[in-house]
Amino acid sequence: MRPAVAEPPPRVLGRRRGGPGATVIACAGLHGNEPAGLEAARRVLDGLEGVPLRGEFLAVAGNRGALAAGMRFLGRDLNRCWTAAEVEALRARPGAADEFEQAEQRELLGVLGEAEPPIVLFDLHTTSGASPPFVLMSDTLRNRPIAFGLGLPVVLGLEEAVDGTLLEYLTERGHRVVVVEAGRHDDPKAADLHEAVLWLGLVAAGAVAARDAPGLARSRALLQEATRGLPRVVEVRHRHPVAAGDGFRMERGFHGFDRVEKGRLLARDRRGDIAATEAGLVLLPLYQEQGEDGFFLVRPVRRFWLFLSAALRSLRLQALLPLLPGVSRHPERPFTLRVDPRVARWFVVEVFHLFGYRKRRPEPPWLTFSRRRPR
């Protein structure tokens, strides 16, 4: 468990305003045992004093109660309750009925709702196991310049495996969002890595000119050194879910991006051994009591496929997908296609990924594929 902070931090850690431009938001401590992002955000707020700024830089604290307790969450994971249905239900309910994370979410909604668009949000996290820093994003063309501008490994496809993240909620509303994982909770370098990410992020978002960002070359070098030799882009292939009572225990010694072969023992629970379902790289091995994700397996993606997908989307060729055999538009949900797996059987997932349809869910007799709003 990460040591608790002395007292709950303020919801708004600080802000700096400049001329016209985007609102760049640093959201830190969405999990209460991950306070490194708060320290990084405070440093950047101080560093922006006197720096020409286009737009606004806003730093906010996530789960204030859990930060004070040094726990991931008090009642429920605050980064798993951002589905449209849950947010709608929260807004329809009186605030007096809120419990723990519901009250936190209500306040965050208020702060985020007051931010002036366009919005670029950096969701700052750390990991329970040792790991180099990396970035998660929803695969929209709007997100790519921000995510790739950080110079870190980029992870695609998390939205296929996990529901209810802040990343998903804000991306659905047309904002640019990246999640940054900056190493183990108790690693003193995590705050340094997050600080470097925020400076590079401010430049990538057009809020600060590269010549005006203090120590930008040092920030870039720090991130390059921390990720030397790692693949630039990977995609999620497998998630091992964890539920209360599973007795999940990750085998000791795994680090983020460790290579494993199919069949390698990764963890154990009350049902027995848990082995790698395929060869790949381990990501986010769970070495804490709280958490719903035991580990992920990812594999590298060749940059060629990213260039091809960008070209296809720029030409708006996704409009032709409903013409394929077994594919039709969802009658009620925009940006969602239905696939009859009895008809469309070859390279379905790979083709839909090229066009940004990464959220796959079974809705018998269909498979549905959804993508983020292309804004």
Side-chain angles (χ1 to χ4, degrees), residues 268-279:
R268 293 183 170 90
D269 65 13
R270 61 182 177 81
R271 289 175 287 270
D273 294 348
I274 302 167
T277 54
E278 60 179 82

Side-chain angles (χ1 to χ4, degrees), residues 16-163:
R16 295 285 183 269
R17 290 191 174 100
T23 301
V24 179
I25 301 175
C27 180
L30 205 58
H31 293 134
N33 59 341
E34 303 176 16
L38 278 74
E39 172 62 24
R42 291 188 180 106
R43 293 181 194 173
V44 173
L45 284 165
D46 291 341
L48 280 171
E49 193 71 43
V51 172
L53 179 66
R54 292 186 290 272
E56 180 179 5
F57 177 71
L58 171 65
V60 299
N63 198 333
R64 298 174 62 245
L67 281 163
M71 299 174 63
R72 182 178 174 88
F73 55 85
L74 300 179
R76 185 187 175 192
D77 193 327
L78 185 55
N79 204 26
R80 295 294 185 272
C81 53
W82 292 91
T83 65
E86 288 190 86
V87 171
E88 183 179 351
L90 180 72
R91 285 175 165 156
R93 188 173 59 245
D98 288 347
E99 297 180 355
F100 300 123
E101 278 71 28
Q102 292 170 339
E104 304 280 359
Q105 186 180 20
R106 187 182 299 276
E107 288 189 13
L108 279 172
L109 281 166
V111 172
L112 297 175
E114 293 171 357
E116 187 72 24
I119 292 172
V120 181
L121 185 137
F122 295 89
D123 186 9
L124 307 180
H125 290 262
T126 50
T127 57
S128 62
S131 174
F134 61 92
V135 171
L136 300 142
M137 73 166 186
S138 290
D139 187 17
T140 67
L141 297 186
R142 286 169 52 84
N143 274 339
R144 286 186 181 185
I146 303 297
F148 290 121
L150 303 178
L152 297 176
V154 174
V155 180
L156 304 176
L158 182 77
E159 65 265 41
E160 261 191 273
V162 177
D163 290 320

Side-chain angles (χ1 to χ4, degrees), residues 226-307:
T227 57
R228 192 179 305 278
L230 296 180
R232 292 296 89 190
V233 186
V234 299
E235 66 175 355
V236 173
R237 296 281 298 172
H238 174 78
R239 167 188 177 250
H240 182 82
V242 174
D246 279 354
F248 177 87
R249 289 292 181 271
M250 192 79 194
E251 290 290 289
R252 306 307 301 178
F254 283 106
H255 297 67
F257 289 91
D258 277 354
R259 186 173 299 277
V260 297
E261 297 301 319
K262 181 178 180 179
R264 172 78 179 273
L265 178 65
L266 299 179
R268 293 183 170 90
D269 65 13
R270 61 182 177 81
R271 289 175 287 270
D273 294 348
I274 302 167
T277 54
E278 60 179 82
L281 308 174
V282 175
L283 207 64
L284 296 170
L286 183 67
Y287 289 115
Q288 60 190 17
E289 291 300 319
Q290 292 179 308
E292 300 173 0
D293 311 308
F295 59 85
F296 295 84
L297 292 177
V298 302
R299 70 175 180 187
V301 176
R302 289 173 55 198
R303 294 295 289 267
F304 165 78
W305 296 111
L306 294 177
F307 296 138

